[in-house]
Amino acid sequence: MSAQPPSRDPQSPARQEEEDEQLIRGEITLGQFLKMPRATLYRWATTAHQLLQVGKTQQALDIFRGLVAASPHDSVFHCQLGAALMTLERVDEAFDAFQRSLQLNSTNGDALVGRGEILLRRGDVPGGLADFSTAIQNDPTLQRRSTQRARSLLVTLKQQSDQAQKSLASKTPAKK
């Protein structure tokens, strides 16, 4: 067994060293360094999403963490990391992942809905409603499941608000 790590590419040692330095300086991502095509990264994301759907959340989380490390500028990977973290009730970490996703792509509807749900949990109703509204504006035909969920939450909150107002009105004595 060799003490040398396996070569990434049959290129000159000087070129390999330059790529090493580019990675260290943050000029290239880990995925670029490892020469992972975007299609490969997205195949892994699909696999992780499927794992998340069948309840293998920890495995999905591990993959999404790896994808974020490999491609830290991809909004989708941060968003999916947030979804996995939410499933595990790691709300603060999920919020950070959704925030990062939105920094990279402010129109990511899934991240808007995820962050909106967390804002509602935290009692920031105006913030949550704003995120839901923006997600719906970006997907007015409700093609995405997350946008459908946001719409349902908005309808439910409106119904609860109307009921609360009726209840208050019935308990308040009429003015003479």
Side-chain angles (χ1 to χ4, degrees), residues 64-151:
F64 286 128
R65 281 196 171 133
L67 290 169
V68 165
S71 186
H73 307 296
D74 192 308
S75 174
V76 173
F77 299 154
H78 287 277
C79 181
Q80 291 300 311
L81 175 62
L85 290 163
M86 276 294 288
T87 302
L88 294 170
E89 292 294 320
R90 293 164 63 176
V91 178
D92 292 337
E93 292 173 82
F95 184 83
D96 292 343
F98 291 133
Q99 281 285 90
R100 180 66 183 137
S101 176
L102 290 165
Q103 289 170 348
L104 296 167
N105 176 4
S106 64
T107 64
N108 184 323
D110 295 332
L112 282 163
V113 174
R115 184 177 72 178
E117 290 171 336
I118 293 172
L119 290 171
L120 285 181
R121 279 184 175 199
R122 291 178 173 177
D124 182 357
V125 175
L129 296 178
D131 278 356
F132 292 162
S133 296
T134 302
I136 292 168
Q137 286 170 0
N138 294 338
D139 179 19
T141 59
L142 305 177
Q143 296 296 307
R144 302 190 66 75
R145 284 186 181 176
S146 60
T147 316
Q148 294 167 9
R149 193 170 68 246
R151 175 80 173 119

Side-chain angles (χ1 to χ4, degrees), residues 39-53 60 63-64 67 76-77 80:
T40 300
L41 295 172
Y42 272 83
R43 269 197 319 276
W44 277 106
T46 299
T47 298
H49 183 74
Q50 291 167 345
L51 289 167
L52 188 60
Q53 296 302 309
I63 293 170
F64 286 128
L67 290 169
V76 173
F77 299 154
Q80 291 300 311

Side-chain angles (χ1 to χ4, degrees), residues 138-176:
N138 294 338
D139 179 19
T141 59
L142 305 177
Q143 296 296 307
R144 302 190 66 75
R145 284 186 181 176
S146 60
T147 316
Q148 294 167 9
R149 193 170 68 246
R151 175 80 173 119
S152 294
L153 286 167
L154 284 173
V155 168
T156 300
L157 289 170
K158 172 84 169 99
Q159 290 171 343
Q160 290 175 344
S161 174
D162 290 346
Q163 282 182 323
Q165 286 179 349
K166 285 180 186 175
S167 179
L168 282 174
S170 70
K171 293 179 182 177
T172 303
K175 292 184 180 181
K176 293 184 183 181

